Each structure stands twice: as C-alpha cells, then as structure tokens.
C-alpha cells in the first residue's frame, strides 16, 4: 500500500490498508483515529450517523496500539483501525440507548462479547451509531433521537434498523462498523448505501450484550466498504461464546481466505424465482441481472431455483418478531434501569410502569408489542404464533431443498433503492415490504450478505445483490462477493462509493471537508 498521510487519504483508505500502514509505522493509529474524528465533526450535522462519539477513549485506545507497535509487539490484522458500534450492543462506560428514550442515560457496566473481542484485537471504537428504536424499522426514522440521512442523498433514508452503521461507512466517518440483523437490518442498509453488510449464520457471532429484539432472529455482523474488510472484521467477532446459549460451538469458516480468493469457477448459483418481478424497481432488477451475468462470465453455473414458501415469510416474520419482542421488552418497566416516569409518590408501581412505557416507547415499538402480545394471548397462540412457526419450518425446508441443488442463492437485496425520508413513515405495511428479500434467511438462520452491484439508472442510487449460503458456510458469501467486487470495480474504474456525491459540509481543523 502506498503511504497514507492526508486526512482524506486516511478516511477513504480501506481498513486492511490502514492496518498495514499502522503496522509498518507509515502512520500512527492516533493519526488515523483523529482523522476520522475530524471527519465526523464535519459531516455529523448533515448525516447524524452517531448517537454518541467516544473521542477521548478512542484516542487513548489508539495510543495504546501505537505503544504496542513501538515496543515490537505483534499486532492483530485490524489493530489500530477505527470501528463504529451500533447502539444496541453494550460498551462499558458508554451510553447504550437502543435508539429509545426508555434507555436514555443508561450506561452499561459490561461489554458485549462482540465489543470485547474488538477491543482485545486492538480495534478503536469511535462511538455508538443510530438505529430504529430497539432495531424495529427499515429506515432509521423510528429512532427517538432523529433520523440518519443517506450520504448519497441527504433527503433519503440510509436503511434500517442499522442505518447509522451503514451511513458512517458511506460518509467516510469510519472504515468499519458493526450492525445487527433481525430481518435484514445489516443487508438492507448496506444495499441502499452502496456498502457491504454480512449476516453471519445464526449463532456464528455472540448475542451476549445485545439488547434483544427477537432472540431467535437477532445476529450481530460486520459492515464495511470492501469484502475483505468485512471478512477481517467477521474473523475478529465470530466464534463460540459460552456466555451465549445460542452460540454455535463450531469454528468460524475461513472467510478471510475466501475474500482473498474470490474464485467462483464451478460454483452453482441459484437465482430465487420468487424474489423478483412485480413490485421490484426496474433498475434494481436490471443491475441484479447484470451482476448475475458477471458471475456467469467468471465461471459460475447459474440456475433458477424455486422457493415457494418464501412468499409467506414476511407475514410469518411479522408474527414471530412482535411475539418475541413483546416478551423481551417487558423488562423495560421503569423499575430496574433507564427512564422512570411518574414516580412522585402519587402513583403505585403499576402506574409508574405504565407511564414509563407510554413515555419511553415510540409508536412502532408500541405497535409491535401490542401485536405480539395479541398473537401470544390465550386462544390465539395456535392460530397466529403457532402457525407462523410452521411457516418458518417450511421456509427452512425450502432452503434445504435449494442448497441440495446449488452452493448459494442470490436475489436483489431490496425491492427498491433508498426512498425519501417521510415517504413511508405513516404506512407500516409499505415499510415492512423493504425486508421482503432478507427475512427468509433470518427465519432459517443461514448466512447471507449484501454486496453493491451498481446504481439504478432511474435515480442514480445504489443497488445491492444478496447472496445466501447454508448454515456455517459463510465463506461462500465472501467468495461470491469478492468476485463481484473485483469484476465490477474494474468496470467502474474504482469503488462504487467513489461515484457518490461529496457531502457539502463546513471545513474543520486539519483540512477535512
């Protein structure tokens, strides 16, 4: 890698490139971290990707890496590289709100396993990113602290629920970020921001320290601007965790070698018939088909695969998720931590709980709690939640049947590109349709990812291709993603994000724009 020195060089470099420059002494981790903090200071008023910036601790962590390098210690593959953390994972000493007023001011005393593994690997946590409240949403408009804006067009959404983590990458505020994916909350934001987002196999990354939405669906995962960077971060955070009872006791697939290889010769790739057609934006389907043709040209075998029960995944998901959420969110009652309202001596404990939840939860959270409580109630459990779980089994069987024929499945990541802020906020059903392509993988627990494949001709906004692999075959995602990345960047003359419009922001010290 060539020497990086200017602020722009540092904020636009890849994570792997920054790590190499830090390890060689070409640049210090403190310089890299300060450059990103300067960039954040400049663009955050426009983007609002972060809920909390932890600059002082970030610089202290960076200085520790520089001291270790100077002492001749062996550094990890990402030591000294900054990372942004979705504000639904705990980081001891930093506020964790989950995008909700009900947790405003709560500072956890412990680290999530994902957080601890990054710290142990020498990564530098810049701060906590914005999200839809308790990860409920597809646009980051449900955050109690205001929406995040898409750096491609500040009037548009950056996806959700992890819009902050994706926008931080696209705005060059961080080279790496962590998201969580319950029904597409890593992949959908990656798609609409032109970045890379990976949902590992369920159990492949620890959920310990994750503020739970739906425990059988949630999964932390890596977000990055390149396939290799995502793989390097995946290798850091993945692996068995005895603190998480749902953690898979299996080694992390060799995702880094797969990302470096990018060889798809002889790979059988199935195009899912049910994930396309009516309701999909023409430009999204055009770029998807072009990307599939690229893979065929690289030696992959393309076949069409039918997964008929995918058509029922969306309604099943919106019974299973609210049911689990209504149970998980019962703990936010004003008695143990976070917000407490009405505790003035004139209300009993039950009234305080009701007032706290009324004041602390937003409209979407209340909607899903009510829906989930109804689905689990006596007389309705079998008719709703029980039936949804049967559909979940059918979706899983569709995947098993498909993977008996092909190595991976592909589809568009989302039916459309980023929509305008406010466009769907009053239409929950229209909002839910954004997760149409991504939900099946969460129901089945297999690995999946979104990779950028170009801009839709009609609006010039990013399009993502989703790759789905069998459980614990996460490395296949990276093989396909790396092959696409190399072929398409050669065609584009560089990364897709190089085509993004420059944010108009005030100048700050150090020359960042």
């Amino acid at each position: 890698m060539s020497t990086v020195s200017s602020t722009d060089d540092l904020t636009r470099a890849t994570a792997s490139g920054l790590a190499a420059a830090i390890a060689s002494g070409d640049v210090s981790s403190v310089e890299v971290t300060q450059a990103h903090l300067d960039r954040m200071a400049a663009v955050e008023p426009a983007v609002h990707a972060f809920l909390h910036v932890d600059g002082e601790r970030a610089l202290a962590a960076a200085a520790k890496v520089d001291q270790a390098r100077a002492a001749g210690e062996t550094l990890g593959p990402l030591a000294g590289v900054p990372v942004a953390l979705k504000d639904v994972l705990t980081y001891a000493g930093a506020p964790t709100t989950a995008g909700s007023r009900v947790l405003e001011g709560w500072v956890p005393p412990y680290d999530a396993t994902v957080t601890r593994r990054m710290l142990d690997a020498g990564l530098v946590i810049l701060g906590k990113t914005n999200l839809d409240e308790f990860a409920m949403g597809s646009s980051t408009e449900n955050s109690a602290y205001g929406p995040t804006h898409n750096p491609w067009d500040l009037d548009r959404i950056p996806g959700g629920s992890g819009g902050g983590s994706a926008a931080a990458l696209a705005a060059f505020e961080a080279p790496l970020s962590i998201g969580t994916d319950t029904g597409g909350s890593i992949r959908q934001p990656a798609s609409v921001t032109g970045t890379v987002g990976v949902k590992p196999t369920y159990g492949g990354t620890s959920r310990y320290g994750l503020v739970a939405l739906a425990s059988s669906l949630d999964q932390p995962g890596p977000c990055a601007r390149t396939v290799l960077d995502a793989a390097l971060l995946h290798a850091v955070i993945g692996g068995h965790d005895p603190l998480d009872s749902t953690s898979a006791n299996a080694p992390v697939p060799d995702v880094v070698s797969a990302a470096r290889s990018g060889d798809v010769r002889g790979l059988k790739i199935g195009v899912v018939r049910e994930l396309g057609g009516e309701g999909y934006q023409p430009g999204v389907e055009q770029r998807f088909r072009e990307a599939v043709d690229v893979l065929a040209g690289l030696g992959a075998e393309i076949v069409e695969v039918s997964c008929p029960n995918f058509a029922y995944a969306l309604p099943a998901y919106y019974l299973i998720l609210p049911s689990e959420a209504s149970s998980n969110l019962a703990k936010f009652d004003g008695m143990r931590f976070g917000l407490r309202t009405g505790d003035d001596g004139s209300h009993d404990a039950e009234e305080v709980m009701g007032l706290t939840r009324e004041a602390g939860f937003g409209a979407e959270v209340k909607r899903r709690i009510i829906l989930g409580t109804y689905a689990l109630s006596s007389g309705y459990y079998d008719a709703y939640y029980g039936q949804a779980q049967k559909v979940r089994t059918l979706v899983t069987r569709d995947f098993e049947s498909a993977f008996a024929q092909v190595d991976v499945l592909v589809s568009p990541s989302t039916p459309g590109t980023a929509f305008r802020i406010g466009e769907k906020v009053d239409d929950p059903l229209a909002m839910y349709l954004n997760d149409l392509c991504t939900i099946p993988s969460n129901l089945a627990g297999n690995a999946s990812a979104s990779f950028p494949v170009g801009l839709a001709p009609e609006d010039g906004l990013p399009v993502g291709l989703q790759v789905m692999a069998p459980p614990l075959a996460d490395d296949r995602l990276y093989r396909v993603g790396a092959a696409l990345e190399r072929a398409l960047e050669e065609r584009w003359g560089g990364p897709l994000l190089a085509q993004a419009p420059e944010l108009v922001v005030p100048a700050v010290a150090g020359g960042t724009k």
Side-chain angles (χ1 to χ4, degrees), residues 156 277-287 412 414-419 455-463:
R156 295 182 184 265
E278 185 179 353
Y280 285 71
Q281 186 175 321
V284 168
E285 289 214 309
Q286 178 184 335
R287 293 297 181 238
T414 58
T417 55
F419 49 89
L455 306 178
E458 58 267 55
D459 56 24
L461 293 171
V463 174

Side-chain angles (χ1 to χ4, degrees), residues 173-359:
E173 296 176 87
L176 296 169
S177 63
I178 293 291
T180 62
D181 196 307
T182 305
S185 293
I186 287 174
R187 291 161 289 158
Q188 188 250 7
S191 179
V192 301
T193 58
T195 56
V196 174
V198 178
K199 183 200 86 67
T201 296
Y202 181 78
T205 52
S206 174
R207 293 190 304 107
Y208 177 77
L210 166 64
V211 180
L213 167 54
S215 301
S216 73
L217 301 166
D218 301 337
Q219 195 65 191
C223 310
R225 291 195 289 262
T226 72
V227 176
L228 177 59
D229 287 355
L232 289 166
L233 185 55
H234 190 152
V236 168
I237 65 174
H240 178 63
D241 178 17
L243 297 176
D244 175 9
S245 63
T246 63
S247 178
N249 192 0
V252 180
D254 193 354
V255 294
V256 175
S257 293
R260 295 189 191 279
S261 163
D263 184 1
V264 295
R265 288 174 295 180
L267 201 70
K268 295 186 73 172
I269 297 177
V271 177
V272 181
R273 182 184 306 157
E274 287 75 14
L275 297 181
E278 185 179 353
Y280 285 71
Q281 186 175 321
V284 168
E285 289 214 309
Q286 178 184 335
R287 293 297 181 238
F288 168 70
R289 294 292 172 184
E290 290 171 355
V292 170
D293 289 342
V294 167
L295 291 170
L298 293 172
E301 179 184 348
I302 310 298
V303 298
E304 188 176 84
V305 174
S306 178
C307 297
N309 292 296
F310 281 18
Y312 310 111
L314 187 72
Y317 172 86
Y318 278 105
L319 282 168
I320 293 169
L321 178 142
S323 296
E324 295 189 16
S326 70
S327 176
N328 278 326
L329 270 62
K331 68 174 80 68
F332 302 108
D333 54 10
M335 295 291 112
R336 284 164 279 197
F337 40 71
L339 182 71
R340 179 179 294 183
T341 301
D343 187 16
D344 57 4
S346 64
H347 301 96
D348 62 25
E350 187 172 343
E351 290 171 332
V352 169
M353 289 181 191
L355 290 168
T356 297
R357 289 167 73 82
E358 168 61 27

Side-chain angles (χ1 to χ4, degrees), residues 460-482:
L461 293 171
V463 174
L465 175 141
Q466 179 179 219
V467 183
M468 297 162 275
L472 298 175
D474 305 49
D475 52 318
R476 298 183 194 177
L477 305 175
Y478 291 95
R479 284 179 63 190
V480 176

